[in-house]
Amino acid sequence: MHSEIIPIEPIENTIFDYIVVTPEAFVDHPSFGTAIIARLTEREGNTVAVMAQPQNADDFTKFGAPKRAFLVSGGVVDSMVNNYTVAKNRRAEDVYSENGKYGLRPDRAVTVYCKALKKAYPDTPIVIGGIEASLRRFAHYDYWTDSVYPSILADCGADILVYGMGEVPLVEILSRLKNNEPLKGIKGTAYLTDKNGLPPSIKPFTEDGTGNEKYLYCHSFDEVKTDKYKYALSFKLQSENSNPIVGKGIVQRHPCNQYLVCEPPCDPISTAELDKVYALPFTGKPHPSYRGRIPASEEIEFSITSHRGCFGGCSYCALTFHQGRMITKRSKVSIIEEAEKLANDPSFKGYINDVGGPTANFRNPSCKKQLKAGVCKNRQCIGFSPCPNLEVDHSEYFEILRELKKIAKVKKVFIRSGIRYDYLLMDKNCKKYLKELCEEHISGQLKVAPEHTSDKVLQLMNKPSFRVYKEFRALYTEENARQGKKQFLVPYLISSHPGATLKDAVNVTEYLRSVNYCPEQVQDFYP
């Protein structure tokens, strides 16, 4: 698939097998889910078009109806988070649009797009996925209206939802659509049905909160929308069953005698398959029809994704619910091949901006037990009270960084996605790796996320004690002084956490003043 046949404008007399719909400018880079879905769909023998940022009814009909389905995403960022600050003020810029123009992405983009497509083509299947759909697959709290919404499937009318990282279920969906087979029963998906459409394995439906060997029942939409305790119990159940090895499916009753069936999580994508995904013929560039810059594409153009998943388990973070706690890594060969491709790009200046993922220095599963039993239901791998089974090893990650440096035309390899400093401190070779980090892989500043100074708040966040941050800061300062470098440590902080008091906020201020640091940004807590 060449970039010119993923058109912004229609190609005359062409009927595509699939049309991918996105609220963002199309950037053919694997850091953007839309690009991965488009390339993977084409790899499976299909013709694909991308409908980028449709604005009106005519835009939704430019390509006509696809032969098989529309594939709809809300983009890299949830549309409401992208459009509004935590204070519910409209943002002035959308870095995922040409020249950062704001206003091309509708609020609740997935729902808006699906309704428009269903109106134009009521008989064409719609598959939704991405973080906006994934995090709204069950009845969920909506911050902007301060109320509980039903599953996004109840609002948008799509036929099936893919949750989490979607390559594995997508390939199965593409196969079934090609063969005119039903879409029910696919791991990693969710759908709405009436009582008669429930899987045979959960009939008769009892709704007694127990379930069977494959499915569990969580509290209904009518219950969770008015009872905070039942909402919390339901979310706990959903979180505990996000484990791809032993997690069960979950059924939730919705209005109008509808039932949300969330199938068990899909099996993790293998390293071999992940390598194949990143080897697809991405151009790495915005679509050639754009005349202006796409701000979000500039930082990642010469960055490399090394893995997926995060066992950090921060209690405020959506990553666990979307990508999961189990790490899936790309092979060293795959990463080096991508770097060599970047180095041969005419616009490459010699700097690889980042090699990482949700957490740059996580490379392997947190312990060997995960490979057999998955992640623990009631035990976190790392955080305020790290698990004694946690295995800490940076050797492979730094070996990859060293290999990347040897590539012709590569001057520097930076780490900008942030590291877990507590994980680095746990390594028996911590000082060796910190020395190498400061010497080779920092472009003036290193981003870390202590998030707060109060241990009471940090325990609620499942972040390490502030003592750990101060220990790392001292070692980092000492190492940079030894090397004669003036490199800064940039701490990310969260304000307005529900577990924090005014006294806790004052303590943060007093600490920052004591170290003569004035942060340029502080993230206000998003519920």
Side-chain angles (χ1 to χ4, degrees):
M1 178 177 66
H2 303 290
S3 59
E4 63 265 26
I5 64 168
I6 305 184
I8 299 296
E9 295 298 326
I11 295 176
E12 190 175 355
N13 299 323
T14 298
I15 300 176
F16 296 95
D17 293 320
Y18 291 93
I19 297 174
V20 180
V21 188
T22 174
E24 298 167 345
F26 180 66
V27 180
D28 192 20
H29 189 285
S31 290
F32 293 82
T34 301
I36 289 181
I37 294 306
R39 291 291 185 184
L40 184 63
T41 303
E42 189 228 19
R43 187 194 76 179
E44 297 300 303
N46 302 288
T47 56
V48 183
V50 173
M51 186 188 296
Q53 300 183 308
Q55 297 298 301
N56 52 52
D58 289 341
D59 288 344
F60 288 100
T61 58
K62 276 184 178 180
F63 296 127
K67 291 179 185 177
R68 296 190 177 125
F70 290 102
L71 307 177
V72 179
S73 167
V76 175
V77 182
D78 181 280
S79 59
M80 297 302 287
V81 174
N82 187 82
N83 287 352
Y84 298 91
T85 69
V86 70
K88 301 182 180 179
N89 297 319
R90 282 195 172 272
R91 300 188 189 275
E93 182 184 34
D94 185 344
V95 297
Y96 297 95
S97 294
E98 188 173 14
N99 293 322
K101 183 178 179 181
Y102 179 84
L104 300 179
R105 178 195 312 249
D107 294 351
R108 311 183 196 284
V110 171
T111 299
V112 170
Y113 290 167
C114 288
K115 287 182 175 179
L117 294 169
K118 279 295 183 185
K119 183 177 181 180
Y121 306 107
D123 298 324
T124 302
I126 298 177
V127 182
I128 60 174
I131 195 164
E132 183 167 327
S134 186
L135 298 186
R136 299 165 187 261
R137 60 188 184 268
F138 294 101
H140 57 278
Y141 175 70
D142 182 80
Y143 169 63
W144 294 271
T145 59
D146 192 27
S147 61
V148 174
Y149 274 26
S151 166
I152 191 172
L153 285 166
D155 282 339
C156 75
D159 297 85
I160 191 168
L161 179 154
V162 177
Y163 67 89
M165 307 306 286
E167 291 96 341
V168 174
L170 176 64
V171 170
E172 177 66 21
I173 288 171
L174 298 177
S175 173
R176 294 197 186 189
L177 286 171
K178 182 178 181 179
N179 297 316
N180 294 313
E181 297 172 352
L183 297 179
K184 293 181 179 180
I186 301 173
K187 284 186 173 184
T189 67
Y191 59 90
L192 277 178
T193 185
D194 59 21
K195 198 166 186 176
N196 295 325
L198 289 169
S201 59
I202 56 176
K203 291 180 180 178
F205 191 82
T206 60
E207 293 185 81
D208 60 1
T210 55
N212 57 30
E213 70 282 355
K214 188 175 179 182
Y215 293 93
L216 299 170
Y217 313 120
C218 69
H219 291 290
S220 70
F221 167 72
D222 286 335
E223 291 176 297
V224 301
K225 75 176 181 180
T226 56
D227 190 322
K228 293 180 181 179
Y229 182 68
K230 288 182 178 179
Y231 183 100
L233 288 177
S234 293
F235 186 79
K236 182 174 184 288
L237 185 72
Q238 294 155 19
S239 299
E240 288 176 347
N241 285 277
S242 61
N243 181 340
I245 295 179
V246 298
K248 294 185 177 183
I250 296 176
V251 179
Q252 185 177 49
R253 181 195 279 269
H254 270 61
C256 303
N257 294 315
Q258 293 285 295
Y259 296 89
L260 174 74
V261 179
C262 184
E263 297 289 351
C266 68
D267 298 331
I269 191 169
S270 67
T271 292
E273 182 57 30
L274 195 60
D275 286 353
K276 290 179 182 178
V277 168
Y278 280 86
L280 292 170
F282 301 100
T283 66
K285 310 288 183 182
H287 191 275
S289 65
Y290 298 117
R291 297 293 174 260
R293 53 189 282 267
I294 314 297
S297 72
E298 294 170 355
E299 178 65 20
I300 54 84
E301 183 177 2
F302 298 111
S303 296
I304 298 174
T305 299
S306 61
H307 67 278
R308 292 181 180 173
C310 179
F311 54 76
C314 304
S315 61
Y316 53 82
C317 183
L319 262 171
T320 298
F321 206 58
H322 183 59
Q323 285 199 15
R325 283 165 58 189
M326 294 187 69
I327 302 288
T328 298
K329 65 182 180 181
R330 292 171 64 188
S331 70
K332 182 170 71 171
V333 170
S334 172
I335 293 170
I336 291 171
E337 285 178 349
E338 182 175 347
E340 290 172 340
K341 178 182 175 183
L342 295 180
N344 289 317
D345 188 303
S347 58
F348 183 66
K349 305 299 183 185
Y351 302 100
I352 295 177
N353 291 330
D354 190 30
V355 181
T359 298
N361 56 326
F362 286 173
R363 177 71 183 154
N364 295 299
S366 63
C367 71
K368 291 183 178 63
K369 292 183 177 181
Q370 281 194 3
L371 302 176
K372 293 184 178 180
V375 295
C376 303
K377 280 188 175 183
N378 298 305
R379 185 76 172 106
Q380 294 293 340
C381 307
I382 196 171
F384 196 80
S385 301
C387 178
N389 292 318
L390 179 64
E391 298 173 12
V392 182
D393 185 358
H394 287 81
S395 58
E396 185 182 29
Y397 181 60
F398 276 85
E399 180 184 333
I400 290 171
L401 297 178
R402 294 182 201 118
E403 290 295 318
L404 294 176
K405 280 175 54 189
K406 296 176 183 177
I407 296 173
K409 301 180 184 179
V410 173
K411 299 175 183 177
K412 281 284 186 180
V413 180
F414 295 126
I415 302 173
R416 291 185 179 173
S417 54
I419 66 165
R420 282 292 295 237
Y421 57 85
D422 52 337
Y423 188 70
L424 184 62
L425 286 174
M426 292 176 198
D427 197 306
K428 63 181 183 296
N429 295 311
C430 168
K431 291 189 177 181
K432 167 190 170 183
Y433 292 129
L434 183 59
K435 175 178 179 292
E436 192 170 344
L437 183 70
C438 294
E439 280 181 347
E440 302 289 349
H441 305 299
I442 297 174
S443 58
Q445 59 186 30
L446 177 66
K447 300 173 184 176
V448 294
E451 305 296 8
H452 215 281
T453 62
S454 165
D455 276 7
K456 179 196 72 175
V457 179
L458 290 168
Q459 186 170 14
L460 293 171
M461 292 179 171
N462 192 37
K463 296 292 290 186
S465 166
F466 194 59
R467 166 190 56 77
V468 181
Y469 170 73
K470 289 194 287 186
E471 179 185 350
F472 178 78
R473 184 177 184 273
L475 287 174
Y476 179 80
T477 303
E478 178 186 318
E479 181 58 41
N480 278 290
R482 191 190 66 77
Q483 296 183 21
K485 292 186 175 183
K486 192 174 182 180
Q487 297 186 135
F488 300 99
L489 194 63
V490 179
Y492 287 168
L493 299 164
I494 290 179
S495 58
S496 306
H497 188 276
T501 63
L502 180 59
K503 182 180 179 181
D504 295 321
V506 170
N507 287 340
V508 174
T509 304
E510 290 177 343
Y511 171 76
L512 293 174
R513 184 176 59 187
S514 74
V515 296
N516 195 30
Y517 180 74
C518 182
E520 293 183 3
Q521 293 179 324
V522 174
Q523 173 63 61
D524 227 7
F525 178 78
Y526 260 113

